[in-house]
Amino acid sequence: MTETANTNQPFAGLELVPRTDAKQTAKDFKSDQEVRWCPGCGDYAILAAFQNFLPELGVPRENLVIISGIGCAARFPYYMDTYGFHSIHGRAPAIATGLAASRPDLSVWVVTGDGDGLSIGGNHLIHALRRNVNIKILLFNNRIYGLTKGQYSPTSERGKITSSTPVGSLDYPFNPISLALGAGATFVARTIDSDRKHFTEVVRAATDHNGAAFVEIYQNCPIYNDDAFEPLKSPQSRDDRLVRLRHGEPIRYGAEEEKGLRLGKYGGLEECAGDDEGVVVHDASVEDPSYAFALSRLDNEEFTHTPIGVFRAAPRTTYDQLMREQIEEVTRKQGEGDLETLLTSGDTWRIT
Amino acid sequence: MQKQIQQIDRVIIRFAGDSGDGMQLTGDRFTSETAAFGNDLSTLPNFPAEIRAPAGTLPGVSSFQLHFADHDIMTPGDAPNVLVAMNPAALKANIADLPRGADIIANTDEFTKRNLNKVGYLDNPLEDESLADYRVHPIPLTSMTVKALEDFDISKKDAERAKNMFALGMLSWLYHRPTDGTIRFLERKFASKPVIMNANVAAFKAGWNYGETTEEFSVSYEVKPAALPPGLYRNISGNLALAYGLIVASRSSGLSLFLASYPITPASDILHELSRHKRFGVQTFQAEDEIAGVGAALGASFGGGLGVTTTSGPGISLKSETVGLAVSVELPLIICDIQRAGPSTGMPTKAEQADLLLAMFGRHGEAPVPIVAARSPSDCFDAVLEAVRLATKYRTPVLLLSDCYLANGSEPWRIPEIDSLPDLQVEFASEHNHTDEDGTPQFWPFQRDPETLARPWAVPGTPGLEHRIGGLEKADGHGNISYDPDNHDLMVRLRQAKIDGIARDIPPLEVDDPDGDARVLVLGWGSTYGPIGAAVRRVRRNGAKVAQAHLRHLNPFPTNTGEVLRRYDTVLVPEMNLGQLSLLLRARFLIDVIGYNRVRGLPLKATELAGAIQDVVDSART
Ligand code: SF4
């Protein structure tokens, strides 16, 4: 493989990925395949926003790889004119780990959903985040199983009436942001399918992070869980509920920024007046994830204060880089491997 | 006193003791001395799955058997001529395997009332008449070691621990083994602890001197070097040979090796070994589970690497869905199954061949996978090279079958000349391979090579060949998702035909039938090669005619397999399972082969098998 190290690359996560000066447009990333999500599905907006965003990376199409598992979201790679791998349920992070660890010249993206990433593939997701391999994980959270026709998912609210839970689901949902932070993720963010500008900012920040990035995207499934995030989308209610996290800025929200967040008892965060002198200034780079975790716990079923944006961006050396460094280090110390020396190592004897 | 030296042609020694007594190390060292001396040899380590089972108990017994000879031998031997029993448990656990007249060297220090009671001996068997059929050598190994190390500034415990070196020294004297290797080994092993090093060397020498001076042994034995084919040799175990094979395959294919595995007995040693060879550019990845292991390996293959995952039966079950994906996306992938006794956790440190049907059929849908089986420890090297050749040439996952006996057992290996190693060079796709109606060049990821039916391997980073693959059915040629019934029928048949076609690319099944007029064929696969070979020799020595053949490829079978089977009146198939190859042969060739099946977690016994072959030969004659 040719690896063109790129010195003027603005994105930290793309340091070893070659760059092209050729002009790219969203169209360059559209495959010739007909997109087959249901009409009105939030996935359309995400696909379009993503294709619109890619040209700013300046990465040649052939160095982009999108890997998915199973589910509605997992069809994503088929619609992208890049390299793509639609794999099996839950396993995309594992496959992406093998690819990214062995090919630092690729920009590797995982597209997953709440069922794929948090249920059947939960183990791979947490370990990919813990290891911090340089992959970007987009988790489309629609809080329902779409492709298998509407069963509740690990992010569905409790008591959800679905085809498999006709009198209501019994289990408590995961909070994906808390989970990712708990797993030691170095980059954790949340955005919304319908807000292209915000989506683009978050995905840009994820690309600019060298290491595993976890982006939860609230995604509407009009067929099985319509308007699940409506309070966060409707112009009447959203400003009152969306807590927009901006690095270095005080956390204020509400139509008039009349509300804010300050440190509460027991290490949590609590609502306060916007002009409270204790309003927290958001810092995504804090090494200790407790603060980001406290932010993630503000979520509730009523969406009274739902943070979006980058919760945490605290880079640490990536697994793939450490792996390469070990190999380089050992090779420098011991010299490059020689087959004959290897095979004849230990006690040998000659028979003539 | 000038002692008598007796010439013998072969010996089987079994070292047995508590898991903490260092029997595997002792066996390894004796093996190295024997290898250096030039005997042919074969070893069988046998240890419990528990890391430290309670001391002195039967489940805690660990043993190492070594068979060495002045001629070429095929197995670690059925019955030991010499048992070194470091405690009563070791005696009790192994006595049933000893033929009458065998030597028993027992460490009397450990034959205390308490230890005897622990394993149910009411009286000390060394003192009553119960061992009258054997030649018992009661020797206080522990106290003599402690005495020999009196002058060393070490704890009593450390001194006692050196008793295995005392025993090794004694046995080395008894069989005229060279000692330099062991002394060098101890110097290396304890380089950072000079006192312990000197104590161990002293214990080893004390054991040797004791052999020479004691009246316990009036005779010592000489086993002449074996006349093996000329060349440079080393001793090698199956797992080591497999690891080396992967490194060589990576070099000669030009693909970087990416090993992704989850620890599991008895496969973990391959992961350990490869982790030590980073200077060859080897990437090893300890995955979070078996599924991630095969997934990451497949990801590396997608990226143009040599993706490998190593495991044992339970891991294969977990990986099976991903292997199905690899079949569907037609990417090279090596899956090594170091079989152990199952089902479930079964007996993790014991051997079995009961994953053949799992390898053959253990996937959803029509998902054929080539299967290559190693037949001896050193053969794991060649077997893995063959697996890589098939995987890369045909763009397919390949299952490599080894087992616990091959993995841990060892034998001398003639080290191949580097330039005699196969060239496995792989070419990636770099150009368009199709033109659409309006003349635009395109890349079709499922446009097959007409001869091999392999699809192009176009790796990310190659401009112009961007494409998507996945588990959904693909249209023949362009590879886009297709639900067309006829296309699915075609693709299922193409994938099958690709694997079936490998039969043309592998050597025919060779038959060893010295006079060409045997009426009975013994056909095996995998690690039964040694026992079958030894049994066939034995039967032939008795004047019976019997043919032998051994399968390296279990899927597809060599093209002449049916013809070979039909040539004989009776086909006997010995296996360490309940008849899995038998089932495949009957189904494929409509020939009612006879099974010889043992699932004891141990290699087949050549003597028993020889009896079974003789019976079949006798009944074929009538
Ligand atoms: S089922 Fe829901 S998530 Fe799936 S494609 Fe349809 S709308 Fe989208």
Side-chain angles (χ1 to χ4, degrees):
Chain A
M1 275 330 99
T2 44
E3 278 174 29
T4 338
N6 210 326
T7 42
N8 57 354
Q9 179 57 259
F11 290 94
L14 298 173
E15 256 166 40
L16 297 173
V17 180
R19 212 172 161 208
T20 174
D21 292 330
K23 181 141 177 48
Q24 293 174 324
T25 65
K27 207 167 150 280
D28 294 323
F29 296 97
K30 289 188 180 135
S31 78
D32 59 356
Q33 296 299 291
E34 184 196 344
V35 184
R36 290 200 201 148
W37 288 307
C38 307
C41 177
D43 292 358
Y44 283 99
I46 301 173
L47 177 65
F50 191 63
Q51 286 166 337
N52 264 302
F53 156 72
L54 287 179
E56 77 174 74
L57 298 184
V59 169
R61 278 186 310 162
E62 64 267 21
N63 289 81
L64 281 165
V65 185
I66 300 164
I67 301 184
S68 64
I70 294 293
C72 294
R75 299 296 173 95
F76 202 91
Y78 287 118
Y79 308 138
M80 298 287 306
D81 198 4
T82 62
Y83 281 89
F85 198 162
H86 174 230
S87 73
I88 42 178
H89 213 6
R91 316 303 170 205
I95 294 172
T97 294
L99 181 65
S102 57
R103 291 288 307 274
D105 59 323
L106 302 176
S107 168
V108 180
W109 296 75
V110 169
V111 172
T112 183
D114 40 319
D116 189 62
L118 298 174
S119 197
I120 192 167
N123 199 31
H124 308 307
L125 181 76
I126 56 174
H127 287 278
L129 294 175
R130 164 180 79 85
R131 275 190 201 102
N132 197 35
V133 183
N134 190 20
I135 56 178
K136 312 298 160 205
I137 302 172
L138 307 180
L139 185 138
F140 298 14
N141 183 5
N142 54 16
R143 300 191 169 174
I144 200 78
Y145 282 77
L147 198 64
T148 51
K149 295 195 175 19
Q151 300 83 0
Y152 79 108
S153 91
T155 55
S156 296
E157 62 280 13
R158 199 163 174 263
K160 184 121 189 132
I161 308 278
T162 73
S163 45
S164 61
T165 51
V167 286
S169 62
L170 301 173
D171 27 341
Y172 285 88
F174 265 139
N175 175 328
I177 301 288
S178 301
L179 183 82
L181 289 165
T186 52
F187 182 97
V188 179
R190 175 189 286 147
T191 186
I192 301 181
D193 57 0
S194 53
D195 188 341
R196 178 178 292 196
K197 187 164 164 274
H198 191 264
F199 173 91
T200 308
E201 276 168 24
V202 162
V203 175
R204 184 182 295 131
T207 318
D208 201 21
H209 175 79
N210 188 20
F214 177 80
V215 179
E216 179 189 22
I217 306 163
Y218 281 161
Q219 175 241 324
N220 193 40
C221 169
I223 305 296
Y224 295 110
N225 200 15
D226 198 15
D227 289 343
F229 305 105
E230 196 46 30
L232 301 177
K233 296 185 172 190
S234 122
Q236 285 80 39
S237 58
R238 67 182 177 209
D239 291 341
D240 211 29
R241 295 158 188 273
L242 282 178
V243 181
R244 291 176 184 272
L245 303 172
R246 294 186 195 91
H247 184 68
E249 289 183 24
I251 306 181
R252 297 209 179 86
Y253 63 107
E256 310 290 328
E257 299 217 322
E258 72 281 9
K259 294 184 276 189
L261 293 177
R262 67 174 179 204
L263 294 178
K265 276 195 290 183
Y266 311 119
L269 291 164
E270 62 184 20
E271 190 181 313
C272 61
D275 55 7
D276 190 295
E277 60 183 26
V279 167
V280 168
V281 175
H282 180 55
D283 184 350
S285 68
V286 192
E287 185 48 43
D288 179 350
S290 313
Y291 158 68
F293 191 80
L295 275 174
S296 77
R297 301 317 291 174
L298 290 166
D299 260 355
N300 58 25
E301 266 178 37
E302 297 75 42
F303 300 108
T304 44
H305 24 51
T306 303
I308 61 168
V310 179
F311 289 67
R312 178 165 208 253
R316 137 163 78 79
T317 317
T318 65
Y319 180 87
D320 36 305
Q321 186 183 333
L322 293 170
M323 203 178 198
R324 284 191 299 277
E325 282 173 3
Q326 270 194 345
I327 289 177
E328 282 161 18
E329 168 89 20
V330 171
T331 311
R332 195 169 51 242
K333 278 197 191 135
Q334 304 177 349
E336 206 176 301
D338 171 66
L339 281 186
E340 183 151 3
T341 317
L342 174 77
L343 300 187
T344 55
S345 60
D347 297 338
T348 59
W349 68 97
R350 185 170 288 283
I351 292 178
T352 42
Chain B
M1 180 184 73
Q2 189 56 38
K3 286 195 181 182
Q4 192 194 331
I5 297 175
Q6 196 177 318
Q7 299 291 330
I8 47 176
D9 63 349
R10 65 191 191 100
V11 189
I12 301 164
I13 301 180
R14 187 181 293 178
F15 296 92
D18 215 46
S19 299
D21 283 344
M23 290 299 99
Q24 301 305 322
L25 175 76
T26 312
D28 269 344
R29 282 321 312 164
F30 197 89
T31 303
S32 291
E33 293 175 358
T34 297
F37 185 72
N39 294 126
D40 194 17
L41 66 90
S42 172
T43 68
L44 175 66
N46 191 356
F47 44 84
E50 295 75 20
I51 304 303
R52 286 272 190 280
T57 62
L58 290 172
V61 173
S62 163
S63 72
F64 186 102
Q65 183 164 311
L66 166 72
H67 182 185
F68 60 101
D70 65 2
H71 54 276
D72 73 309
I73 49 167
M74 311 199 66
T75 73
D78 294 349
N81 312 112
V82 183
L83 171 70
V84 179
M86 299 301 280
N87 66 8
L91 177 66
K92 183 136 195 187
N94 291 290
I95 187 79
D97 292 337
L98 294 198
R100 280 161 191 221
D103 288 282
I104 298 174
I105 297 171
N107 178 13
T108 52
D109 289 324
E110 288 292 321
F111 280 67
T112 60
K113 195 152 181 54
R114 193 161 161 265
N115 287 350
L116 288 163
N117 289 345
K118 233 188 240 178
V119 293
Y121 279 125
L122 296 176
D123 297 308
N124 187 345
L126 304 179
E127 286 161 10
D128 61 22
E129 288 302 296
S130 60
L131 299 178
D133 288 343
Y134 307 94
R135 285 193 295 189
V136 180
H137 310 274
I139 301 172
L141 290 172
T142 314
S143 45
M144 281 199 301
T145 308
V146 173
K147 190 147 193 308
L149 303 183
E150 255 169 6
D151 297 340
F152 285 84
D153 184 21
I154 53 172
S155 67
K156 177 145 182 273
K157 210 162 152 224
D158 279 338
E160 284 177 353
R161 214 176 261 162
K163 64 181 178 289
N164 62 335
M165 286 301 117
F166 187 96
L168 180 63
M170 195 171 75
L171 269 291
S172 300
W173 173 82
L174 197 56
Y175 292 98
H176 293 244
R177 303 290 95 182
T179 56
D180 306 354
T182 294
I183 291 170
R184 269 201 313 275
F185 166 83
L186 292 171
E187 285 168 356
R188 265 200 318 272
K189 182 172 162 75
F190 297 111
S192 60
K193 300 177 196 158
V195 184
I196 300 282
M197 170 178 82
N198 291 332
N200 272 280
V201 172
F204 177 67
K205 287 183 175 161
W208 173 282
N209 294 337
Y210 172 77
E212 198 159 49
T213 47
T214 181
E215 295 188 358
E216 192 55 56
F217 302 114
S218 50
V219 196
S220 67
Y221 303 91
E222 225 173 52
V223 181
K224 290 250 154 61
L228 298 174
L232 186 65
Y233 282 78
R234 63 175 289 163
N235 196 48
I236 200 156
S237 70
N239 274 350
L240 186 61
L242 203 158
Y244 284 2
L246 285 172
I247 295 176
V248 168
S250 158
R251 271 288 166 91
S252 51
S253 63
L255 304 175
S256 1
L257 178 55
F258 191 91
L259 176 84
S261 296
Y262 186 74
I264 184 171
T265 304
S268 305
D269 282 341
I270 305 168
L271 170 64
H272 305 164
E273 183 64 31
L274 287 173
S275 303
R276 299 174 49 229
H277 297 290
K278 299 193 194 306
R279 57 197 294 203
F280 287 88
V282 176
Q283 288 184 292
T284 52
F285 172 68
Q286 182 175 317
E288 59 269 24
D289 59 26
E290 294 280 0
I291 300 174
V294 69
L298 183 61
S301 289
F302 179 53
L306 178 58
V308 180
T309 188
T310 48
T311 187
S312 189
I316 295 290
S317 296
L318 284 162
K319 293 178 196 296
S320 135
E321 189 190 12
T322 309
V323 180
L325 173 66
V327 169
S328 174
V329 297
E330 303 189 43
L331 281 173
L333 177 68
I334 305 293
I335 307 118
C336 304
D337 178 1
I338 317 301
Q339 301 166 94
R340 63 190 212 186
S344 190
T345 312
M347 301 196 289
T349 57
K350 314 290 175 203
E352 208 160 86
Q353 292 183 299
D355 293 351
L356 175 57
L357 295 182
L358 174 67
M360 188 75 193
F361 300 119
R363 286 166 297 283
H364 51 284
E366 295 286 356
V369 164
I371 304 171
V372 174
R375 65 188 194 182
S376 75
S378 67
D379 184 52
C380 289
F381 179 85
D382 297 318
V384 81
L385 286 176
E386 173 66 354
V388 172
R389 180 183 78 88
L390 296 179
T392 51
K393 180 166 176 187
Y394 293 88
R395 326 284 201 230
T396 174
V398 174
L399 261 150
L400 175 77
L401 296 180
S402 170
D403 66 32
C404 197
Y405 160 47
L406 298 183
N408 296 321
S410 66
E411 63 180 357
W413 176 47
R414 184 150 63 110
I415 302 167
E417 299 290 339
I418 299 300
D419 34 355
S420 73
L421 295 169
D423 177 11
L424 301 175
Q425 211 60 40
V426 173
E427 266 189 47
F428 296 128
S430 59
E431 289 170 2
H432 294 122
N433 59 0
H434 183 81
T435 319
D436 74 359
E437 293 117 37
D438 59 15
T440 318
Q442 290 183 325
F443 176 64
W444 278 20
F446 285 83
Q447 177 93 291
R448 295 171 191 280
D449 178 290
E451 197 193 320
T452 59
L453 297 182
R455 75 177 192 91
W457 191 3
V459 305
T462 317
L465 307 193
E466 296 82 11
H467 64 281
R468 276 62 58 193
I469 54 171
L472 285 167
E473 186 57 283
K474 294 147 281 284
D476 180 33
H478 60 70
N480 289 327
I481 301 172
S482 168
Y483 288 96
D484 177 63
D486 291 334
N487 175 72
H488 178 58
D489 187 83
L490 176 68
M491 289 297 275
V492 167
R493 288 173 199 281
L494 278 172
R495 287 187 288 259
Q496 184 69 49
K498 179 177 81 167
I499 303 307
D500 290 346
I502 290 175
R504 294 189 299 268
D505 193 15
I506 60 178
L509 179 59
E510 255 181 63
V511 184
D512 169 38
D513 183 356
D515 303 319
D517 58 355
R519 292 168 62 191
V520 173
L521 170 73
V522 186
L523 178 66
W525 69 278
S527 76
T528 52
Y529 178 71
I532 292 175
V536 163
R537 270 189 201 169
R538 200 176 275 255
V539 174
R540 283 182 187 156
R541 268 205 302 273
N542 291 343
K545 304 206 171 205
V546 58
Q548 189 200 346
H550 211 75
L551 287 163
R552 138 99 68 234
H553 297 91
L554 279 307
N555 191 39
F557 288 125
T559 43
N560 66 334
T561 309
E563 185 264 312
V564 166
L565 294 179
R566 272 179 223 107
R567 232 189 277 159
Y568 294 88
D569 295 346
T570 312
V571 179
L572 181 71
V573 180
E575 292 181 88
M576 295 190 290
N577 59 40
L578 294 186
Q580 302 197 359
L581 176 61
S582 293
L583 181 94
L584 291 178
L585 295 173
R586 288 185 196 121
R588 195 60 53 84
F589 304 107
L590 294 177
I591 287 174
D592 192 17
V593 303
I594 302 177
Y596 172 89
N597 306 93
R598 296 289 183 274
V599 280
R600 303 175 62 247
L602 291 168
L604 299 179
K605 291 201 170 189
T607 32
E608 265 180 47
L609 178 57
I613 297 172
Q614 188 69 54
D615 287 348
V616 172
V617 172
D618 291 346
S619 58
R621 204 176 288 145
T622 53

